[in-house]
PDB file of all heavy atoms in Angstrom:
ATOM      1  N   PHE A 231     -58.951-171.929  22.571  1.00  0.00           N
ATOM      2  CA  PHE A 231     -59.917-170.837  22.655  1.00  0.00           C
ATOM      3  C   PHE A 231     -61.330-171.379  22.937  1.00  0.00           C
ATOM      4  O   PHE A 231     -62.052-170.875  23.810  1.00  0.00           O
ATOM      5  CB  PHE A 231     -59.951-170.079  21.290  1.00  0.00           C
ATOM      6  CG  PHE A 231     -60.942-168.988  21.212  1.00  0.00           C
ATOM      7  CD1 PHE A 231     -60.718-167.749  21.781  1.00  0.00           C
ATOM      8  CD2 PHE A 231     -62.191-169.168  20.562  1.00  0.00           C
ATOM      9  CE1 PHE A 231     -61.643-166.726  21.694  1.00  0.00           C
ATOM     10  CE2 PHE A 231     -63.119-168.161  20.471  1.00  0.00           C
ATOM     11  CZ  PHE A 231     -62.840-166.921  21.070  1.00  0.00           C
ATOM     12  N   TYR A 232     -61.682-172.466  22.306  1.00  0.00           N
ATOM     13  CA  TYR A 232     -63.002-173.086  22.593  1.00  0.00           C
ATOM     14  C   TYR A 232     -63.045-173.697  23.986  1.00  0.00           C
ATOM     15  O   TYR A 232     -64.080-173.713  24.649  1.00  0.00           O
ATOM     16  CB  TYR A 232     -63.364-174.100  21.514  1.00  0.00           C
ATOM     17  CG  TYR A 232     -64.055-173.457  20.343  1.00  0.00           C
ATOM     18  CD1 TYR A 232     -63.445-172.502  19.545  1.00  0.00           C
ATOM     19  CD2 TYR A 232     -65.410-173.731  20.080  1.00  0.00           C
ATOM     20  CE1 TYR A 232     -64.098-171.880  18.528  1.00  0.00           C
ATOM     21  CE2 TYR A 232     -66.086-173.094  19.042  1.00  0.00           C
ATOM     22  CZ  TYR A 232     -65.422-172.158  18.231  1.00  0.00           C
ATOM     23  OH  TYR A 232     -66.096-171.546  17.228  1.00  0.00           O
ATOM     24  N   GLY A 233     -61.902-174.179  24.463  1.00  0.00           N
ATOM     25  CA  GLY A 233     -61.840-174.722  25.774  1.00  0.00           C
ATOM     26  C   GLY A 233     -62.084-173.655  26.864  1.00  0.00           C
ATOM     27  O   GLY A 233     -62.771-173.872  27.861  1.00  0.00           O
ATOM     28  N   LYS A 234     -61.500-172.459  26.631  1.00  0.00           N
ATOM     29  CA  LYS A 234     -61.689-171.380  27.561  1.00  0.00           C
ATOM     30  C   LYS A 234     -63.144-170.885  27.555  1.00  0.00           C
ATOM     31  O   LYS A 234     -63.688-170.495  28.579  1.00  0.00           O
ATOM     32  CB  LYS A 234     -60.791-170.167  27.218  1.00  0.00           C
ATOM     33  CG  LYS A 234     -59.366-170.335  27.668  1.00  0.00           C
ATOM     34  CD  LYS A 234     -58.683-168.937  27.767  1.00  0.00           C
ATOM     35  CE  LYS A 234     -57.209-169.092  27.981  1.00  0.00           C
ATOM     36  NZ  LYS A 234     -56.484-169.205  26.690  1.00  0.00           N
ATOM     37  N   ASP A 235     -63.752-170.859  26.384  1.00  0.00           N
ATOM     38  CA  ASP A 235     -65.191-170.517  26.260  1.00  0.00           C
ATOM     39  C   ASP A 235     -65.469-169.173  26.924  1.00  0.00           C
ATOM     40  O   ASP A 235     -66.487-169.033  27.610  1.00  0.00           O
ATOM     41  CB  ASP A 235     -66.021-171.653  26.930  1.00  0.00           C
ATOM     42  CG  ASP A 235     -67.480-171.618  26.510  1.00  0.00           C
ATOM     43  OD1 ASP A 235     -67.818-170.942  25.540  1.00  0.00           O
ATOM     44  OD2 ASP A 235     -68.265-172.312  27.169  1.00  0.00           O
ATOM     45  N   SER A 236     -64.613-168.181  26.696  1.00  0.00           N
ATOM     46  CA  SER A 236     -64.827-166.863  27.292  1.00  0.00           C
ATOM     47  C   SER A 236     -66.120-166.231  26.826  1.00  0.00           C
ATOM     48  O   SER A 236     -66.360-166.145  25.616  1.00  0.00           O
ATOM     49  CB  SER A 236     -63.702-165.899  26.920  1.00  0.00           C
ATOM     50  OG  SER A 236     -62.492-166.413  27.264  1.00  0.00           O
ATOM     51  N   GLY A 237     -66.904-165.773  27.780  1.00  0.00           N
ATOM     52  CA  GLY A 237     -68.245-165.253  27.461  1.00  0.00           C
ATOM     53  C   GLY A 237     -69.269-166.343  27.299  1.00  0.00           C
ATOM     54  O   GLY A 237     -70.409-166.071  26.923  1.00  0.00           O
ATOM     55  N   ASN A 238     -68.870-167.567  27.591  1.00  0.00           N
ATOM     56  CA  ASN A 238     -69.744-168.725  27.542  1.00  0.00           C
ATOM     57  C   ASN A 238     -70.432-168.885  26.195  1.00  0.00           C
ATOM     58  O   ASN A 238     -71.665-169.101  26.133  1.00  0.00           O
ATOM     59  CB  ASN A 238     -70.834-168.622  28.682  1.00  0.00           C
ATOM     60  CG  ASN A 238     -70.184-168.591  30.052  1.00  0.00           C
ATOM     61  OD1 ASN A 238     -69.025-169.032  30.206  1.00  0.00           O
ATOM     62  ND2 ASN A 238     -70.911-168.140  31.010  1.00  0.00           N
ATOM     63  N   PHE A 239     -69.650-168.734  25.129  1.00  0.00           N
ATOM     64  CA  PHE A 239     -70.301-168.810  23.821  1.00  0.00           C
ATOM     65  C   PHE A 239     -70.855-170.190  23.513  1.00  0.00           C
ATOM     66  O   PHE A 239     -71.723-170.329  22.678  1.00  0.00           O
ATOM     67  CB  PHE A 239     -69.353-168.282  22.715  1.00  0.00           C
ATOM     68  CG  PHE A 239     -68.036-168.987  22.590  1.00  0.00           C
ATOM     69  CD1 PHE A 239     -67.956-170.186  21.912  1.00  0.00           C
ATOM     70  CD2 PHE A 239     -66.863-168.391  23.083  1.00  0.00           C
ATOM     71  CE1 PHE A 239     -66.728-170.814  21.753  1.00  0.00           C
ATOM     72  CE2 PHE A 239     -65.648-169.058  22.947  1.00  0.00           C
ATOM     73  CZ  PHE A 239     -65.562-170.257  22.290  1.00  0.00           C
ATOM     74  N   SER A 240     -70.342-171.217  24.192  1.00  0.00           N
ATOM     75  CA  SER A 240     -70.902-172.561  23.920  1.00  0.00           C
ATOM     76  C   SER A 240     -72.387-172.605  24.255  1.00  0.00           C
ATOM     77  O   SER A 240     -73.108-173.378  23.645  1.00  0.00           O
ATOM     78  CB  SER A 240     -70.148-173.604  24.762  1.00  0.00           C
ATOM     79  OG  SER A 240     -70.380-173.364  26.139  1.00  0.00           O
ATOM     80  N   GLY A 241     -72.778-171.770  25.222  1.00  0.00           N
ATOM     81  CA  GLY A 241     -74.167-171.829  25.720  1.00  0.00           C
ATOM     82  C   GLY A 241     -75.212-171.446  24.681  1.00  0.00           C
ATOM     83  O   GLY A 241     -76.387-171.834  24.805  1.00  0.00           O
ATOM     84  N   VAL A 242     -74.865-170.644  23.673  1.00  0.00           N
ATOM     85  CA  VAL A 242     -75.875-170.203  22.697  1.00  0.00           C
ATOM     86  C   VAL A 242     -75.969-171.142  21.523  1.00  0.00           C
ATOM     87  O   VAL A 242     -76.842-171.015  20.654  1.00  0.00           O
ATOM     88  CB  VAL A 242     -75.642-168.754  22.215  1.00  0.00           C
ATOM     89  CG1 VAL A 242     -75.721-167.764  23.365  1.00  0.00           C
ATOM     90  CG2 VAL A 242     -74.296-168.630  21.508  1.00  0.00           C
ATOM     91  N   ALA A 243     -75.078-172.152  21.475  1.00  0.00           N
ATOM     92  CA  ALA A 243     -75.150-173.119  20.388  1.00  0.00           C
ATOM     93  C   ALA A 243     -76.347-174.044  20.550  1.00  0.00           C
ATOM     94  O   ALA A 243     -76.712-174.361  21.671  1.00  0.00           O
ATOM     95  CB  ALA A 243     -73.854-173.939  20.288  1.00  0.00           C
ATOM     96  N   GLY A 244     -76.934-174.454  19.447  1.00  0.00           N
ATOM     97  CA  GLY A 244     -78.036-175.388  19.462  1.00  0.00           C
ATOM     98  C   GLY A 244     -78.577-175.467  18.072  1.00  0.00           C
ATOM     99  O   GLY A 244     -78.071-174.780  17.157  1.00  0.00           O
ATOM    100  N   PRO A 245     -79.605-176.309  17.872  1.00  0.00           N
ATOM    101  CA  PRO A 245     -80.145-176.468  16.487  1.00  0.00           C
ATOM    102  C   PRO A 245     -80.480-175.092  15.861  1.00  0.00           C
ATOM    103  O   PRO A 245     -81.189-174.286  16.440  1.00  0.00           O
ATOM    104  CB  PRO A 245     -81.404-177.296  16.704  1.00  0.00           C
ATOM    105  CG  PRO A 245     -81.080-178.116  17.930  1.00  0.00           C
ATOM    106  CD  PRO A 245     -80.283-177.192  18.825  1.00  0.00           C
ATOM    107  N   GLY A 246     -79.852-174.832  14.708  1.00  0.00           N
ATOM    108  CA  GLY A 246     -80.071-173.570  14.003  1.00  0.00           C
ATOM    109  C   GLY A 246     -78.971-172.554  14.203  1.00  0.00           C
ATOM    110  O   GLY A 246     -78.861-171.613  13.425  1.00  0.00           O
ATOM    111  N   ASN A 247     -78.140-172.731  15.231  1.00  0.00           N
ATOM    112  CA  ASN A 247     -77.147-171.728  15.581  1.00  0.00           C
ATOM    113  C   ASN A 247     -75.892-172.342  16.158  1.00  0.00           C
ATOM    114  O   ASN A 247     -75.926-172.996  17.205  1.00  0.00           O
ATOM    115  CB  ASN A 247     -77.721-170.773  16.639  1.00  0.00           C
ATOM    116  CG  ASN A 247     -79.163-170.384  16.398  1.00  0.00           C
ATOM    117  OD1 ASN A 247     -80.060-170.985  16.999  1.00  0.00           O
ATOM    118  ND2 ASN A 247     -79.405-169.492  15.462  1.00  0.00           N
ATOM    119  N   PHE A 248     -74.753-172.208  15.439  1.00  0.00           N
ATOM    120  CA  PHE A 248     -73.520-172.876  15.897  1.00  0.00           C
ATOM    121  C   PHE A 248     -72.312-171.943  15.809  1.00  0.00           C
ATOM    122  O   PHE A 248     -72.169-171.191  14.835  1.00  0.00           O
ATOM    123  CB  PHE A 248     -73.283-174.134  15.086  1.00  0.00           C
ATOM    124  CG  PHE A 248     -74.292-175.197  15.277  1.00  0.00           C
ATOM    125  CD1 PHE A 248     -75.332-175.366  14.333  1.00  0.00           C
ATOM    126  CD2 PHE A 248     -74.274-176.011  16.384  1.00  0.00           C
ATOM    127  CE1 PHE A 248     -76.294-176.314  14.551  1.00  0.00           C
ATOM    128  CE2 PHE A 248     -75.268-177.010  16.574  1.00  0.00           C
ATOM    129  CZ  PHE A 248     -76.258-177.149  15.629  1.00  0.00           C
ATOM    130  N   ASN A 249     -71.492-172.030  16.830  1.00  0.00           N
ATOM    131  CA  ASN A 249     -70.140-171.406  16.758  1.00  0.00           C
ATOM    132  C   ASN A 249     -69.359-172.127  15.656  1.00  0.00           C
ATOM    133  O   ASN A 249     -69.433-173.329  15.469  1.00  0.00           O
ATOM    134  CB  ASN A 249     -69.414-171.581  18.080  1.00  0.00           C
ATOM    135  CG  ASN A 249     -69.998-170.711  19.157  1.00  0.00           C
ATOM    136  OD1 ASN A 249     -69.784-169.505  19.189  1.00  0.00           O
ATOM    137  ND2 ASN A 249     -70.758-171.328  20.049  1.00  0.00           N
ATOM    138  N   ASP A 250     -68.510-171.388  14.930  1.00  0.00           N
ATOM    139  CA  ASP A 250     -67.752-171.925  13.821  1.00  0.00           C
ATOM    140  C   ASP A 250     -66.240-171.725  14.051  1.00  0.00           C
ATOM    141  O   ASP A 250     -65.749-170.598  13.888  1.00  0.00           O
ATOM    142  CB  ASP A 250     -68.185-171.235  12.542  1.00  0.00           C
ATOM    143  CG  ASP A 250     -67.454-171.730  11.321  1.00  0.00           C
ATOM    144  OD1 ASP A 250     -66.652-172.673  11.431  1.00  0.00           O
ATOM    145  OD2 ASP A 250     -67.685-171.162  10.205  1.00  0.00           O
ATOM    146  N   PRO A 251     -65.546-172.789  14.444  1.00  0.00           N
ATOM    147  CA  PRO A 251     -64.104-172.662  14.627  1.00  0.00           C
ATOM    148  C   PRO A 251     -63.323-172.701  13.319  1.00  0.00           C
ATOM    149  O   PRO A 251     -62.085-172.734  13.371  1.00  0.00           O
ATOM    150  CB  PRO A 251     -63.769-173.880  15.502  1.00  0.00           C
ATOM    151  CG  PRO A 251     -64.818-174.885  15.168  1.00  0.00           C
ATOM    152  CD  PRO A 251     -66.084-174.145  14.758  1.00  0.00           C
ATOM    153  N   ASP A 252     -63.979-172.644  12.225  1.00  0.00           N
ATOM    154  CA  ASP A 252     -63.396-172.551  10.876  1.00  0.00           C
ATOM    155  C   ASP A 252     -63.173-173.926  10.258  1.00  0.00           C
ATOM    156  O   ASP A 252     -63.493-174.960  10.837  1.00  0.00           O
ATOM    157  CB  ASP A 252     -62.142-171.726  10.879  1.00  0.00           C
ATOM    158  CG  ASP A 252     -61.927-170.961   9.533  1.00  0.00           C
ATOM    159  OD1 ASP A 252     -62.784-171.070   8.665  1.00  0.00           O
ATOM    160  OD2 ASP A 252     -60.895-170.274   9.391  1.00  0.00           O
ATOM    161  N   MET A 253     -62.593-173.924   9.058  1.00  0.00           N
ATOM    162  CA  MET A 253     -62.597-175.108   8.174  1.00  0.00           C
ATOM    163  C   MET A 253     -61.772-176.299   8.690  1.00  0.00           C
ATOM    164  O   MET A 253     -60.840-176.126   9.450  1.00  0.00           O
ATOM    165  CB  MET A 253     -62.019-174.669   6.819  1.00  0.00           C
ATOM    166  CG  MET A 253     -62.851-173.655   6.091  1.00  0.00           C
ATOM    167  SD  MET A 253     -61.895-172.711   4.864  1.00  0.00           S
ATOM    168  CE  MET A 253     -61.219-171.403   5.872  1.00  0.00           C
ATOM    169  N   LEU A 254     -62.161-177.467   8.201  1.00  0.00           N
ATOM    170  CA  LEU A 254     -61.336-178.660   8.421  1.00  0.00           C
ATOM    171  C   LEU A 254     -60.183-178.577   7.394  1.00  0.00           C
ATOM    172  O   LEU A 254     -60.409-178.390   6.211  1.00  0.00           O
ATOM    173  CB  LEU A 254     -62.168-179.914   8.117  1.00  0.00           C
ATOM    174  CG  LEU A 254     -63.312-180.197   9.129  1.00  0.00           C
ATOM    175  CD1 LEU A 254     -64.194-181.351   8.554  1.00  0.00           C
ATOM    176  CD2 LEU A 254     -62.735-180.630  10.473  1.00  0.00           C
ATOM    177  N   ILE A 255     -58.981-178.778   7.932  1.00  0.00           N
ATOM    178  CA  ILE A 255     -57.784-178.740   7.014  1.00  0.00           C
ATOM    179  C   ILE A 255     -57.240-180.148   6.821  1.00  0.00           C
ATOM    180  O   ILE A 255     -56.134-180.302   6.266  1.00  0.00           O
ATOM    181  CB  ILE A 255     -56.706-177.779   7.566  1.00  0.00           C
ATOM    182  CG1 ILE A 255     -56.323-178.181   8.989  1.00  0.00           C
ATOM    183  CG2 ILE A 255     -57.198-176.350   7.512  1.00  0.00           C
ATOM    184  CD1 ILE A 255     -55.036-177.490   9.473  1.00  0.00           C
ATOM    185  N   ILE A 256     -58.014-181.145   7.230  1.00  0.00           N
ATOM    186  CA  ILE A 256     -57.645-182.556   7.032  1.00  0.00           C
ATOM    187  C   ILE A 256     -57.445-182.839   5.534  1.00  0.00           C
ATOM    188  O   ILE A 256     -58.296-182.459   4.709  1.00  0.00           O
ATOM    189  CB  ILE A 256     -58.729-183.457   7.627  1.00  0.00           C
ATOM    190  CG1 ILE A 256     -58.804-183.269   9.161  1.00  0.00           C
ATOM    191  CG2 ILE A 256     -58.507-184.938   7.268  1.00  0.00           C
ATOM    192  CD1 ILE A 256     -60.055-183.868   9.810  1.00  0.00           C
ATOM    193  N   GLY A 257     -56.309-183.444   5.219  1.00  0.00           N
ATOM    194  CA  GLY A 257     -56.036-183.727   3.805  1.00  0.00           C
ATOM    195  C   GLY A 257     -55.085-182.730   3.179  1.00  0.00           C
ATOM    196  O   GLY A 257     -54.746-182.837   1.982  1.00  0.00           O
ATOM    197  N   ASN A 258     -54.669-181.730   3.937  1.00  0.00           N
ATOM    198  CA  ASN A 258     -53.668-180.771   3.430  1.00  0.00           C
ATOM    199  C   ASN A 258     -52.284-181.143   3.875  1.00  0.00           C
ATOM    200  O   ASN A 258     -51.974-182.336   4.003  1.00  0.00           O
ATOM    201  CB  ASN A 258     -54.069-179.368   3.892  1.00  0.00           C
ATOM    202  CG  ASN A 258     -55.373-178.921   3.175  1.00  0.00           C
ATOM    203  OD1 ASN A 258     -55.585-179.306   2.044  1.00  0.00           O
ATOM    204  ND2 ASN A 258     -56.150-178.101   3.822  1.00  0.00           N
ATOM    205  N   PHE A 259     -51.448-180.159   4.232  1.00  0.00           N
ATOM    206  CA  PHE A 259     -50.035-180.412   4.431  1.00  0.00           C
ATOM    207  C   PHE A 259     -49.555-180.317   5.877  1.00  0.00           C
ATOM    208  O   PHE A 259     -48.517-180.819   6.243  1.00  0.00           O
ATOM    209  CB  PHE A 259     -49.218-179.441   3.580  1.00  0.00           C
ATOM    210  CG  PHE A 259     -49.681-179.387   2.165  1.00  0.00           C
ATOM    211  CD1 PHE A 259     -50.449-178.313   1.706  1.00  0.00           C
ATOM    212  CD2 PHE A 259     -49.435-180.425   1.281  1.00  0.00           C
ATOM    213  CE1 PHE A 259     -50.904-178.256   0.389  1.00  0.00           C
ATOM    214  CE2 PHE A 259     -49.918-180.395  -0.031  1.00  0.00           C
ATOM    215  CZ  PHE A 259     -50.650-179.285  -0.460  1.00  0.00           C
ATOM    216  N   GLY A 260     -50.291-179.594   6.699  1.00  0.00           N
ATOM    217  CA  GLY A 260     -49.754-179.144   7.985  1.00  0.00           C
ATOM    218  C   GLY A 260     -49.942-180.124   9.175  1.00  0.00           C
ATOM    219  O   GLY A 260     -49.321-179.945  10.189  1.00  0.00           O
ATOM    220  N   LEU A 261     -50.779-181.108   9.030  1.00  0.00           N
ATOM    221  CA  LEU A 261     -51.133-181.980  10.159  1.00  0.00           C
ATOM    222  C   LEU A 261     -50.643-183.433   9.895  1.00  0.00           C
ATOM    223  O   LEU A 261     -50.841-183.962   8.828  1.00  0.00           O
ATOM    224  CB  LEU A 261     -52.626-182.022  10.418  1.00  0.00           C
ATOM    225  CG  LEU A 261     -53.347-180.685  10.705  1.00  0.00           C
ATOM    226  CD1 LEU A 261     -54.824-180.959  11.015  1.00  0.00           C
ATOM    227  CD2 LEU A 261     -52.694-179.935  11.866  1.00  0.00           C
ATOM    228  N   SER A 262     -50.059-184.016  10.947  1.00  0.00           N
ATOM    229  CA  SER A 262     -49.776-185.458  10.897  1.00  0.00           C
ATOM    230  C   SER A 262     -51.112-186.208  10.931  1.00  0.00           C
ATOM    231  O   SER A 262     -52.178-185.625  11.215  1.00  0.00           O
ATOM    232  CB  SER A 262     -48.941-185.845  12.104  1.00  0.00           C
ATOM    233  OG  SER A 262     -49.767-185.875  13.277  1.00  0.00           O
TER     234      SER A 262
END
Side-chain angles (χ1 to χ4, degrees):
F231 177 79
Y232 272 65
K234 280 203 191 87
D235 197 14
S236 304
N238 299 341
F239 58 79
S240 64
V242 298
N247 319 99
F248 294 99
N249 289 284
D250 179 5
D252 211 3
M253 296 158 273
L254 292 169
I255 56 166
I256 295 166
N258 292 328
F259 311 104
L261 302 183
S262 73

